[in-house]
Amino acid sequence: MTDRALVEATDLVKHFPVRGSGFFGRVTGAVKAVDGVSFAIPAGATVGLVGESGCGKSTVGRLLLRLIEPTSGAVAFDGREILPLDARAMRQLRARMQIVFQDPHSSLNPRRTVGDIVGRPLIIHGEGSRADAQRRAAELLNLVGLPAEATNRYPHEFSGGQRQRIGIARALALNPSFIVLDEPTSSLDVSVQAQILNLLNDLKRDLGLTYLFISHNLNVVEYFCDQTVVMYLGKIVESGPSEAIHADPMHPYTQALISAVLMPEAGSRAKRIVLTGDVPSPLDPPTGCRFHTRCPLAMDICRTAEPALLEQRPGHRVACHLYPAPAAVGAATPAAAGKEGSSRSAT
């Protein structure tokens, strides 16, 4: 892993318009799925993007690959802005940017053989003949732990874990440097999850890959990711080294998420923090801090002023009014504030 950012999002926004009834229905509102997200993914790193369902994390992954167009903001890949690129230039760049989808069943064409599925990217990009694509497909299947003979079979003949290996092989076909992993293990049994995660780690080491790992499983993110980015209702509320965030989370939302993780040893995690109320609608998010309607530590300022995402510890950023702006306090105060926030949340 290096300090160089391979992928960087700046003030990324995606609002999906909501239309009234009828074919020519007017736009009546917008679902604010992603609302001003900025973060970077260093080359060679695995960054975990976590949060509850509907927080916008999968939308962020698709925006980074330009599978959907943002409402506003910027995305840079290897120092190059990708949003201004035309279709031809973007197609060339896609060889270096791939995705593994959550559902290994629906993401594979049931009418095509595995060899056709894995070799298809090579045909689309003009990388050799169909025979070359079939040979490359066999090599990739071996790389992900499947026999070369699998090229002649169909997706329904494989288990869920094997289908996910096929999806990974397809993503590797064009030798990418960056892969979005959109909850790649969420539909798999626990034992199979471990096998897929180990495979992804081996591929990262051997091929020099960079990952964005989208998940709601905090245990998996802690094990698999170098850095963690926590989202709530379209906003980033906390980001930093995975070890630091899981050992001492600062934002009340992150604290609640981690307190809900089941631990193997009794007493190894603080008392469970139960959040009350429902997640607000992204059609009409709350003013101020979007988490204030469920936060047990909400103050008056939380209802009116949106907190900035500020660095409170080295590389550890938090968007919360519980912590003062670092410029206004002494060097030791942010860490002390983090401890205070953690102890208050456990009461």
Side-chain angles (χ1 to χ4, degrees):
M1 185 177 70
T2 68
D3 292 332
R4 177 178 65 88
L6 180 65
V7 182
E8 189 168 7
T10 305
D11 293 328
L12 206 54
V13 173
K14 181 60 180 178
H15 293 175
F16 294 97
V18 177
R19 298 183 180 276
S21 60
F23 186 77
F24 295 103
R26 295 189 306 170
V27 174
T28 59
V31 175
K32 298 176 181 178
V34 177
D35 213 7
V37 164
S38 300
F39 69 102
I41 305 175
T46 299
V47 173
L49 188 58
V50 302
E52 294 171 291
S53 296
C55 71
K57 54 189 186 295
S58 291
T59 302
V60 169
R62 284 160 172 75
L63 288 170
L64 294 182
L65 300 181
R66 209 177 159 189
L67 296 178
I68 55 177
E69 297 292 330
T71 303
S72 63
V75 178
F77 180 80
D78 204 9
R80 182 185 187 187
E81 294 288 338
I82 71 170
L83 298 183
L85 299 181
D86 60 22
R88 182 176 181 179
M90 194 65 216
R91 186 172 181 175
Q92 294 175 344
L93 186 61
R94 288 197 191 283
R96 299 185 60 197
M97 310 165 70
Q98 293 293 314
I99 185 170
V100 175
F101 294 99
Q102 176 178 356
D103 185 355
H105 178 72
S106 61
S107 64
L108 302 177
N109 190 333
R111 294 184 174 87
R112 291 188 177 273
T113 65
V114 169
D116 288 339
I117 290 171
V118 176
R120 186 68 177 168
L122 298 167
I123 300 298
I124 292 174
H125 285 262
E127 299 287 337
S129 65
R130 291 189 176 275
D132 293 332
Q134 287 293 315
R135 283 193 293 270
R136 175 62 173 159
E139 294 172 358
L140 289 166
L141 290 173
N142 274 322
L143 185 64
V144 299
L146 293 174
E149 297 77 32
T151 56
N152 298 318
R153 297 163 62 187
Y154 290 85
H156 73 269
E157 301 178 59
F158 296 88
S159 67
Q162 290 172 327
R163 284 196 293 264
Q164 196 59 287
R165 290 174 185 267
I166 294 168
I168 294 170
R170 177 177 58 184
L172 294 173
L174 295 170
N175 298 312
S177 52
F178 173 59
I179 300 179
V180 173
L181 302 169
D182 190 3
E183 304 205 41
T185 62
S186 63
S187 62
L188 306 177
D189 294 338
V190 174
S191 60
V192 180
Q193 287 183 24
Q195 295 171 17
I196 296 298
L197 291 174
N198 289 334
L199 170 64
L200 290 170
N201 262 333
D202 291 342
L203 293 172
K204 175 188 173 183
R205 180 195 63 220
D206 297 341
L207 303 179
L209 298 172
T210 301
Y211 292 144
L212 175 66
F213 185 79
I214 299 169
S215 180
H216 61 271
N217 190 323
L218 274 295
N219 273 338
V220 171
V221 170
E222 182 179 14
Y223 160 75
F224 189 68
C225 301
D226 304 303
Q227 299 180 26
T228 298
V229 177
V230 184
M231 285 189 67
Y232 182 81
L233 206 61
K235 294 276 190 180
I236 294 176
V237 298
E238 187 165 2
S239 67
S242 293
E243 184 177 355
I245 285 183
H246 287 79
D248 192 8
M250 299 182 71
H251 197 282
Y253 177 63
T254 312
Q255 293 168 1
L257 287 180
I258 293 179
S259 77
V261 175
L262 295 177
M263 300 300 293
E265 298 179 6
S268 58
R269 184 70 79 196
K271 181 181 177 181
R272 171 77 184 271
I273 303 171
V274 179
L275 298 178
T276 59
D278 297 325
V279 179
S281 170
L283 271 169
D284 186 24
T287 58
C289 174
R290 295 191 175 184
F291 185 59
H292 83 258
T293 59
R294 303 172 71 200
C295 181
L297 304 176
M299 303 175 289
D300 289 341
I301 190 175
C302 302
R303 298 173 177 84
T304 57
E306 182 178 326
L309 186 67
L310 302 175
E311 187 174 52
Q312 298 291 348
R313 303 168 182 166
H316 192 159
R317 294 175 172 82
V318 187
C320 184
H321 291 300
L322 288 173
Y323 308 98
V329 296
T333 305
K339 293 179 181 178
E340 179 186 353
S342 298
S343 61
R344 289 174 63 189
S345 66
T347 59

